[in-house]
């Protein structure tokens, strides 16, 4: 059977199948799609892959991915310099930007504390955050780690580390997601929605 | 928001999102996965993409994808030269090879007749198949197009085109898929399973 499939095809399929969520069948399908698509497309994808790491780096201030260092958000005069949202991943930054209401700056931890995966505070950009708060004029740190065990552990650790700096430390609200159905909401979320209930009148 | 995402990142995400079955969210996830993966991986994927079209072509005999022309199957002395399985796509070839029982050769049509998509017989490698049968010593042509409307139309057309050549034209059996449940099988399949029933004793 192996002789029936030329090596350039198996090689690309193997490379694709190492991507998260791409199994061997999807990898073959993508490869055969590209075989029929114009060559330009494979080449532009190849160029984009080569440029990805060659042209990007981490911002030395907030550790987001950037071409220029410091990144556009860190040097923007239109963003509040005194508010920092602490997030786990660069993708979380995009989620917050999509809301259109956050005008502060960011700090990307590049992960969350996870004893199971062997990730401790020193593997994250926590020391850099504390230094940034100590040496700057930050007024508020909004902890925007994921609402789960690892994000909670990280938030608790950050809260303790930032305690001596005099900065206001807040965390994103927990409760019912918009569009959700009370009947299907898990009990932990419902519990948190009860605890965080607000008075209407 | 756009200024928050560096161009090499958006460019790769855009390139990924043009792949079939990859939406903008998956494209971002793949891009950020690669940002964290070793650079070698992005580069090997890029190289595989570049090589895909540069090193492959269609076999001039069977129109499968190949590095050498004619392809290894077409020149193999271990394959029956007098049997040709006609398939729609190269991926169908792999499916037949996986059975391990087919020892003949192939002919890849690169599609199926589809008036809806504007694909007629002249857009497929049908003329080449007829010429191959007329000029060779083919004994049997097994039509292995997909079991659906387009595959059926293509099979009917092929049957008519090959009628004058004196070759035996067969088609893959239709019936219940192994592992299926009678209760959930569609009625067309069940009808074909009834029509094609075989006597046991």
């Amino acid at each position: 059977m192996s002789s029936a499939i030329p090596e350039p095809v198996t090689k690309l399929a193997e490379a694709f199948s190492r991507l998260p969520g791409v199994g061997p069948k999807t990898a073959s399908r993508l490869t055969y799609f590209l075989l029929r698509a114009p060559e330009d497309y494979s080449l532009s994808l190849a160029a984009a892959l080569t440029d990805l790491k060659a042209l990007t780096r981490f911002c030395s201030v907030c550790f987001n991915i950037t071409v220029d260092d410091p990144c556009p958000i860190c040097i923007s005069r239109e963003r509040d310099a005194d508010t920092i949202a602490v997030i786990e991943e660069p993708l979380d930054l995009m989620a917050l930007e999509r809301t259109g209401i956050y005008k502060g700056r960011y700090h990307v931890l590049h992960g969350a504390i996870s004893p199971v995966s062997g990730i401790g505070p020193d593997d994250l950009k926590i020391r850099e955050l504390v230094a940034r708060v100590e040496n700057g004029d930050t007024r508020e740190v909004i902890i925007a780690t994921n609402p789960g065990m690892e994000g909670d552990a990280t938030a608790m650790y950050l809260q303790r580390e930032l305690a001596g700096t005099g900065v206001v430390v807040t965390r994103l609200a927990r409760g019912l997601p918009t569009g959700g159905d009370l009947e299907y909401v898990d009990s932990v979320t419902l519990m948190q929605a009860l605890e965080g209930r607000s008075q209407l009148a």
Side-chain angles (χ1 to χ4, degrees), chain A residues 80-153:
Chain A
D80 302 334
D82 61 358
T83 311
I84 300 177
V86 181
I87 52 180
E88 294 182 18
E89 303 293 347
L91 278 173
D92 303 333
L93 184 152
M94 285 198 249
L96 280 167
E97 287 295 292
R98 273 195 296 272
T99 67
I101 63 161
Y102 181 65
K103 295 295 175 207
R105 300 203 169 148
Y106 292 97
H107 192 91
V108 184
L109 296 175
H110 289 279
I113 294 172
S114 168
V116 180
S117 316
I119 299 170
D122 292 344
D123 301 312
L124 308 172
K125 305 291 181 195
I126 292 179
R127 221 168 335 175
E128 291 83 349
L129 172 67
V130 175
R132 196 177 158 191
V133 169
E134 278 171 347
N135 301 326
D137 45 5
T138 310
R139 198 183 46 77
E140 179 178 359
V141 170
I142 303 172
I143 301 180
T145 54
N146 288 333
M149 228 162 59
E150 300 179 355
D152 288 352

Side-chain angles (χ1 to χ4, degrees), chain A residues 39-69:
Chain A
E39 181 163 18
D40 277 0
Y41 179 31
S42 307
L43 295 183
S44 71
L45 185 53
L49 282 160
T50 311
D51 287 352
L52 180 69
K53 295 255 187 158
L55 302 183
T56 61
R57 69 187 95 182
F58 291 142
C59 170
S60 59
V61 178
C62 73
F63 299 95
N64 187 24
I65 288 138
T66 183
V67 174
D68 305 307
D69 184 21

